Structures are given as C-alpha cells and as structure tokens.
C-alpha cells in the first residue's frame, strides 16, 4: 500500500522497483552530453531513486528549484563508457585544444568564463542552429554551465566562473548536446564570429 508524506505518496516496494527500472532504462538511453529532466511531480523517494541510478551509471544528478517545486536533472558524461570524473579528465586533441584556448580567450579575456560570457556565447552560436537555440536550448546550456561550475567547485575551485580546464568540459558537453563534433562546432562558431573559415 502507498502511505503519504509531506513530499507526496510513498512508493510501495513493487512500484518503486518498477520506477527504478524505468529510470535506469531512460538514463541508459541518454546520448553523451544529453540531459534528462525529471518533473516537479516526483516525490522525495522518487528523486532519491533517480539520484541512486545516476550514481550507479557514473552520471551527474542535480536538484534545481522552481516556482512549482524541486526538479531533478541528470547529465550523461560527454564520453560514453566513462564515469563523470574520468570523462572530465580526458584530454582533447591538439587541434581541439588550440581552438578551445582561442574560444576561451575570446569569451573570457579576464581568465574566467562567467555567466554573462555564457550569454554572449549563446548569442553567437544561435545562428548555427537556425536561430532556435535561444528559445529551445538556452535553458539547457544555462543548466550545463551551472552543472560544470558545480563540478569545478567539487574539485576544489571557488572561482566565480569557469577556468580554462572546465571551460573545455563545458565546450565538450555543449557540442554533445548540439550533436556536433567539437572541432566542427568551434570552427563554425569562429566562422560566424569573424566571417573567416578556420580551415581552408
């Protein structure tokens, strides 16, 4: 039977196992860098199930607050088969590293990629998605930024924005969300900004 708490109905064992199986299937279906958002209607116990399944897969789960209550988001690591921490420590190719450094210099001239810099990035990359990014993906990139900044804080930094290392993580995750190879996304971004092709 289902009891009730201030967080809503409790899950009985059978329902909890069924919900856990659904969550596991949903999370395993995520593509690298993709975000799954669970609604505010989840109970406290259901949010715990989501957190548990995300942890088991090496994904990052975070709870956000809205006017309608708390909701949970889970992000799949940018590199399939690696845990959140392992995927963040993989190094990009020399070509990608050079372009990431160039993007960091452009958007973070003071050495920190802040929220205001993120909005400039979103504005520049929107035309690459036929102008729909601002309406449909801007919230995802905002959450991606917050999640990456939290990861940076978890690893000991208290900077008020992303440093170069975690700017790279953010760029990799952004490319995965957009479905672009990282180098292709950065090349198209620079072409949009400067009007010049990065590669002949």
């Amino acid at each position: 039977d289902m009891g009730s708490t201030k967080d809503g109905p409790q899950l009985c064992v059978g329902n909890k196992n069924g919900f856990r199986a659904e969550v596991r299937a949903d999370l395993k279906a995520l593509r690298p860098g993709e975000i799954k958002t669970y609604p505010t209607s989840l109970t406290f116990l259901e949010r715990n199930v989501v957190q548990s399944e995300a942890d088991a897969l090496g994904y990052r789960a975070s709870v956000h607050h809205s006017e309608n209550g708390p909701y949970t988001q889970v992000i799949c690591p940018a590199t399939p088969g690696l845990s959140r921490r392992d995927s963040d420590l993989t190094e990009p190719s020399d070509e990608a590293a050079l372009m990431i450094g160039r993007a960091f210099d452009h958007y973070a001239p003071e050495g920190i990629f802040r929220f205001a810099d993120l909005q400039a990035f979103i504005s520049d990359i929107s035309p690459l998605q036929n102008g729909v990014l601002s309406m449909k993906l801007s919230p995802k990139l905002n959450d991606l930024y917050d999640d990456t900044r939290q990861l940076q804080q978890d690893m000991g930094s208290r900077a008020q924005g992303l440093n170069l290392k975690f700017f790279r993580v953010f760029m990799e995750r952004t490319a995965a969300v957009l479905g672009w190879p990282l180098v292709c996304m950065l090349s198209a971004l620079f072409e949009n900004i400067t009007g010049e092709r990065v590669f002949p």
Side-chain angles (χ1 to χ4, degrees):
D1 292 335
M2 297 178 68
S4 63
T5 69
K6 64 180 180 180
D7 292 289
Q10 292 183 335
L11 289 171
C12 69
V13 173
N15 287 344
K16 181 177 179 181
N17 289 339
F19 178 74
R20 183 180 296 276
E22 290 179 8
V23 170
R24 185 181 301 121
D26 287 343
L27 297 185
K28 285 184 175 181
L30 292 179
R31 296 174 296 179
E34 189 173 2
I35 298 173
K36 171 69 175 180
T37 300
Y38 289 89
T40 58
S41 58
L42 291 191
T43 66
F44 175 77
L45 290 178
E46 288 171 331
R47 291 197 298 273
N48 281 346
V49 169
V50 173
Q51 179 71 59
S52 174
E53 289 302 310
D55 289 344
L57 292 170
Y59 296 178
R60 178 171 178 79
S62 55
V63 177
H64 305 269
H65 296 275
S66 69
E67 293 181 355
N68 297 323
Y71 63 96
T72 302
Q73 289 191 321
V74 180
I75 183 169
C76 176
T79 305
L82 295 181
S83 69
R84 169 188 166 222
R85 184 177 296 270
D86 289 339
S87 69
D88 292 329
L89 295 178
T90 57
E91 294 296 328
S93 66
D94 290 342
E95 183 178 60
L98 182 65
M99 298 178 74
I100 289 171
R102 180 179 171 185
F104 187 75
D105 290 342
H106 177 80
Y107 289 106
E110 297 180 359
I112 291 292
F113 183 66
R114 305 177 190 277
F115 185 78
D117 304 320
L118 169 66
Q119 304 314 306
F121 168 76
I122 291 175
S123 177
D124 287 340
I125 205 169
S126 291
L128 306 184
Q129 298 290 311
N130 297 321
V132 301
L133 183 63
S134 293
M135 294 181 59
K136 294 187 176 181
L137 287 184
S138 181
K140 288 187 177 181
L141 295 188
N142 287 337
D143 286 337
L144 209 58
Y145 175 86
D146 290 340
D147 184 82
T148 306
R149 187 176 170 195
Q150 182 61 55
L151 174 60
Q152 179 177 274
Q153 291 177 348
D154 290 347
M155 299 185 74
S157 173
R158 292 296 178 264
Q160 299 300 308
L162 301 181
N163 60 26
L164 176 58
K165 177 180 179 180
F166 288 91
F167 177 78
R168 169 179 63 80
V169 174
F170 174 74
M171 287 290 105
E172 291 174 340
R173 289 176 167 183
T174 297
V177 166
L178 298 181
W180 287 48
L182 176 60
V183 171
C184 292
M185 182 192 77
L186 291 172
S187 177
L189 176 64
F190 291 138
E191 183 175 350
N192 180 53
I193 294 171
T194 66
E196 298 177 358
R197 294 185 63 84
V198 175
F199 302 112

